[in-house]
Amino acid sequence: MTLRLYNTQTRTVEPLVPLHPPRVGVYGCGPTVYGAAHIGNFRTFLVFDLVHRYLEWRGFQVRFVMNLTDVDDKTIQAAQAAGQTIQEYTEPFVTAFHADAEALGMRPFHAYPRATAYVDEMVDLVRRLLEKGLAYTTEDGSVFFRIAAFSDYGKLSGKDLEAMQQGERVSADEYGKEDPRDFALWKGAKEGDREAGAVWGAPWGEGRPGWHLECSAMGLAEVGETLDLHLGGEDLIFPHHEDELAQSEGATGKPFVRCWLHVKHLRVDGAKMSKSLRNVFTVRELLDEGVEPAALRHQLLSAHYRSELNFTRAGLDASARAVRRVADFRARLREYPVERDGSPAGSLSHLAREARHDFQAAMDDDLNVPEALAALFVFVNRGNASLEGLKGAPIPESHRDLALETLTSLDEVLGFLELVDGEVGPDADLSAWVEERLAARQVAREARDFSEADRIRDELQERGVVLEDSPKGTRWKMRG
């Protein structure tokens, strides 16, 4: 099987063919850290994590870089309003982003370049574009990319260069340009920029980099002149990624990206996220409400990345139940009686192999997570049915181990059980009370006082405790 991905530029699903296999160089457009990232942002970032995990699962040697944009118009304006420099203003949001990413089980990427640390590389990139006639300076010390000189402009987004209108891509206060469609590579310094500590020197005048330039410089510096994969939200296709492509290929003369992958938006209760609708949630807000991290990760990954995902409270509850079903199956396998030398019993090993095959086939098909999850839950449901049919009869240890290894392997990509294992369980007082009640129930059962045993079970259930009796004893968990 071959991993195939939808390439935004070619508009086809095609095999991933790295420039230097088995190495894969990946760049993802990360957050602009002028505020807390919301769950719509994290829908995209969790797809990044999924790509990272799956590439490694498939045996690629991955270098994955995600930038942090810590200087742009909004960041400067927010820092000014707070009476801080951009460094002072953005640092808490950088810290919060990393905390949220860890809370949702995102594996660390190889680098998190910040734009302010790559200004020298940006200045050099602008210099190369000026030397090739692909850029020009204006009286205020700004530098603009000359779109008319780059014949391939529009090949990513499909935009018609001649049909582009003034105001579609540029703000009204940018004057002195040869063509209203040209975009800023470097913005001449203004007083507000100086107040926020967002001014750097350059041969053509003091100023600061344009947003599009930042990602090109960081991608070229951290990954290379040609990226195997470039990821981002669908809102970045134009103008951000189109401009990245133009300035990068204009400077290097080489293809900038072999495959562009873009993630669809997230909606909340069927509506676009909006502060006016009060439906913009951060990860921290939801976790502080008591939402389980594994459930939130499950819901944000549950739809195909090229389909809109509708976030709902009912969906969160369903995700919590789904994750718990997998965790319960794993716990059941761990406790199920086994024998070292016995004839094969049931179909557990066959189900495990089938689950891995179907999971990989789904993921290789443009990261089809819904089908991959279906493969996992078919395994869980049929595995439970297989164990039920055995009525406690032991199974070969190798079959049990293969089933557990399969769950672990699939979770290397999905990351749900990792979070379940890290979640805080019931408090110590509740746990002690439950264990005391279970001991009393066992005494009642041994004395054949089944009415008392049932009364204790009901008492536990009223506190949200679910019991599962097995040949090896009674397991308990909290009801979601």
Side-chain angles (χ1 to χ4, degrees), residues 5-8 26-29 39-51 64 66 229-238 241 259-267 299-309 366-367 369:
L5 300 171
Y6 182 84
N7 186 347
T8 304
V26 189
Y27 183 89
C29 277
I39 57 173
N41 303 133
F42 270 98
R43 191 263 165 118
T44 297
F45 302 151
L46 283 174
V47 171
F48 291 6
D49 183 57
L50 186 79
V51 171
F64 200 122
M66 185 174 81
L229 269 173
H230 194 316
L231 315 181
E234 66 172 346
D235 56 313
L236 300 183
I237 296 173
F238 186 86
H241 287 164
C259 181
W260 294 87
L261 187 151
H262 291 96
V263 184
K264 275 276 191 180
H265 288 141
L266 175 142
R267 299 176 73 83
Q299 186 170 28
L300 292 178
L301 283 176
S302 60
H304 192 283
Y305 76 90
R306 286 197 289 121
S307 300
E308 282 190 342
L309 187 152
D366 194 27
L367 307 176
V369 172

Side-chain angles (χ1 to χ4, degrees), residues 390-455:
L390 294 171
K391 301 185 183 302
I395 59 175
E397 187 175 30
S398 61
H399 290 205
R400 189 274 312 274
D401 290 348
L402 178 61
L404 286 170
E405 288 166 8
T406 299
L407 286 178
T408 299
S409 178
L410 303 194
D411 198 64
E412 285 288 311
V413 177
L414 298 172
F416 304 144
L417 294 177
E418 291 177 10
L419 287 174
V420 169
D421 292 341
E423 289 173 1
V424 177
D427 63 64
D429 289 342
L430 176 60
S431 295
W433 177 79
V434 172
E435 294 297 339
E436 183 274 324
R437 292 285 75 204
L438 288 180
R441 178 172 177 264
Q442 183 61 26
V443 169
R445 294 176 74 185
E446 290 174 354
R448 304 186 68 78
D449 188 351
F450 298 117
S451 61
E452 174 63 8
D454 289 343
R455 187 194 67 76

Side-chain angles (χ1 to χ4, degrees), residues 326-387:
V326 180
D328 289 347
F329 179 54
R330 181 182 62 173
R332 185 179 192 182
L333 284 170
R334 286 172 172 172
E335 296 179 0
Y336 199 84
V338 295
E339 55 188 0
R340 290 190 179 275
D341 297 307
S343 59
S347 57
L348 197 58
S349 60
H350 169 74
L351 292 174
R353 293 188 184 94
E354 186 177 68
R356 184 183 177 96
H357 174 275
D358 292 349
F359 178 87
Q360 181 173 331
M363 291 298 292
D364 277 351
D365 182 19
D366 194 27
L367 307 176
N368 193 333
V369 172
E371 288 298 320
L373 289 174
L376 170 63
F377 285 102
V378 165
F379 176 42
V380 170
N381 294 337
R382 291 181 178 174
N384 273 319
S386 177
L387 296 180

